[in-house]
Amino acid sequence: MKKKRFLISGGGTGGHIFPALAIAKEIERRYPESSLLFVGASDRMEMEKIPAEGYSIKGLWISGFQRSLSLKNLLVPIKLIFSVLRSFFIVLRFKPNVVIGTGGYASGPVLWAASLLKIPTLIQEQNSYPGITNTILSSKVNQICVAYSGLEKFFPKEKIHLTGNPIRAEIEFGEYNRDEVLNSYGLVNDKPVVLVIGGSLGSKRINETVFENISWFEENGVQLIWQTGSLYYERCEPAQVDLGKSGKIQAFITEMGAALVAADVVISRAGAIALSELCSLGKTCILVPSPNVAEDHQKKNALALSESGAAILVEENNMDTQLFAALDLLMKDVDKQQQLAANCKKMDKPKAAERIVDIIEELSND
């Protein structure tokens, strides 16, 4: 049997990287002898995360426009031209059976080059409101996998497959003993636990609000697991003194599946992959969408859950007054917690990676 070759492009944030890795791992499970190559932006986190998982990656000199006036914007067209040329070279040299894009600036030139070379292509859109890269690519690629219904207004209907978002296997299939997890954090099982996660890079505003209200946890007998992000850890670490043995502050949580299992309530940004992971485990969550993302897609993601009774939505500009009010409400109403968790679980679309690789398999056999 001829060895199959798959090229995967996507990155910039964990929301693009984790789906790419989940798809790669399912391809490897199905085709152990396959060759996989990643392409990302040369200065973004995928250049570290992908090799750490044992995969090869090529970098493109590419970035998007800055929202503020910046001389860096003058380089964007030049970077795009260089990235397109390098993408043609990478695709021609690697000779993939299928090229897969999971979003981010780097996936644009790669998928465009592959489509012009008549190589089968597929994009995976995580959000309820697609990013500009995937919107532009949608007319060029062969198939489109999505996590939300109603995307016919953005993509050609005949190409769309509602698969859900591929998430980390340790979250979807991991088995954790909650008592053991709590013990590893130095916490106890007879007090509720709140998990705060501001996305893979951290959230300045969420961190500030939690820091300012750190005494609330001890006063209410609530334990805290808090991922600050590496940029904010040093500023937030002093709060550990106030938490004492009732909480744990970390820059980054490597075992997110374990942390989610330990939590009774999760405070989170509303990135698409984070929401898919919360739905997979059926968690009670308070969502604070980031307003600093393209097309305000995090708010649209959060609305998809909150309007279904699957989460509480708190907008960032109301966080000072509403975040801990919502948390206080949930701590006093276990029935409300359970109702939100049950509705969240109903929105889960399991085994998304398997569904996506089914479609990739069909493309590779054409």
Side-chain angles (χ1 to χ4, degrees), residues 11-14 17-18 41 43-50 200-201:
T13 67
I17 295 169
F18 293 139
D43 61 346
R44 301 304 296 268
M45 62 188 293
E46 56 264 30
M47 302 307 292
E48 177 185 344
K49 299 291 184 184
I50 299 299
S200 56
L201 301 177

Side-chain angles (χ1 to χ4, degrees), residues 38-216:
F38 283 78
V39 178
S42 58
D43 61 346
R44 301 304 296 268
M45 62 188 293
E46 56 264 30
M47 302 307 292
E48 177 185 344
K49 299 291 184 184
I50 299 299
E53 294 290 331
Y55 298 106
S56 297
I57 186 168
K58 302 287 187 183
L60 299 180
W61 185 47
I62 192 166
S63 62
F65 283 100
Q66 303 289 315
R67 292 190 174 194
S68 58
L69 289 174
S70 171
L71 291 175
K72 291 180 180 179
N73 286 335
L74 297 175
L75 282 174
V76 172
I78 299 170
K79 288 182 177 182
L80 182 59
I81 292 168
F82 272 90
S83 294
V84 168
L85 293 172
R86 180 159 165 76
S87 294
F88 272 105
F89 176 78
I90 291 170
V91 173
L92 286 168
R93 187 170 183 180
F94 186 65
K95 297 182 175 66
N97 294 90
V98 182
V99 177
I100 302 124
T102 60
Y105 302 125
S107 66
V110 176
L111 272 290
W112 188 73
S115 66
L116 288 180
L117 293 168
K118 305 300 180 185
I119 296 170
T121 50
L122 174 146
I123 55 175
Q124 192 270 323
E125 173 56 56
Q126 299 94 36
N127 295 292
S128 59
Y129 192 96
I132 189 168
T133 300
N134 280 351
T135 303
I136 293 170
L137 288 170
S138 64
S139 63
K140 302 286 185 185
V141 300
N142 297 97
Q143 303 292 348
I144 303 169
C145 296
V146 301
Y148 294 90
S149 57
L151 268 69
E152 295 84 0
K153 54 189 164 186
F154 304 106
F155 300 145
K157 183 177 181 180
E158 67 277 7
K159 297 181 182 181
I160 294 176
H161 303 268
L162 183 60
T163 59
N165 277 322
I167 63 174
R168 289 172 278 188
E170 61 266 29
I171 292 177
E172 185 169 11
F173 304 113
E175 295 183 5
Y176 298 95
N177 181 295
R178 187 171 188 266
D179 288 343
E180 290 178 1
V181 175
L182 289 172
N183 185 60
S184 72
Y185 278 105
L187 306 180
V188 296
N189 63 9
D190 58 353
K191 291 183 180 180
V193 177
V194 171
L195 171 64
V196 176
I197 42 178
S200 56
L201 301 177
S203 163
K204 182 175 183 288
R205 285 288 292 115
I206 290 177
N207 286 335
E208 288 174 344
T209 304
V210 172
F211 189 91
E212 290 164 4
N213 291 274
I214 201 70
S215 62
W216 180 93

Side-chain angles (χ1 to χ4, degrees), residues 236-255:
C236 299
E237 188 185 18
Q240 186 69 63
V241 175
D242 294 308
L243 281 172
K245 294 182 179 180
S246 294
K248 184 74 171 179
I249 302 174
Q250 294 178 279
F252 188 78
I253 297 172
T254 53
E255 286 286 335

Side-chain angles (χ1 to χ4, degrees), residues 216-286:
W216 180 93
F217 293 94
E218 184 178 0
E219 291 168 2
N220 289 274
V222 177
Q223 301 174 110
L224 173 65
I225 301 172
W226 182 8
Q227 176 181 283
T228 64
S230 58
L231 293 176
Y232 308 106
Y233 177 70
E234 290 186 3
R235 288 182 241 174
C236 299
E237 188 185 18
Q240 186 69 63
V241 175
D242 294 308
L243 281 172
K245 294 182 179 180
S246 294
K248 184 74 171 179
I249 302 174
Q250 294 178 279
F252 188 78
I253 297 172
T254 53
E255 286 286 335
M256 185 56 73
L260 287 168
V261 166
D264 296 285
V265 175
V266 181
I267 297 172
S268 175
R269 284 301 200 192
I273 299 304
L275 298 195
S276 293
E277 292 177 345
L278 292 170
C279 290
S280 178
L281 296 175
K283 303 306 297 186
T284 303
C285 47
I286 301 171

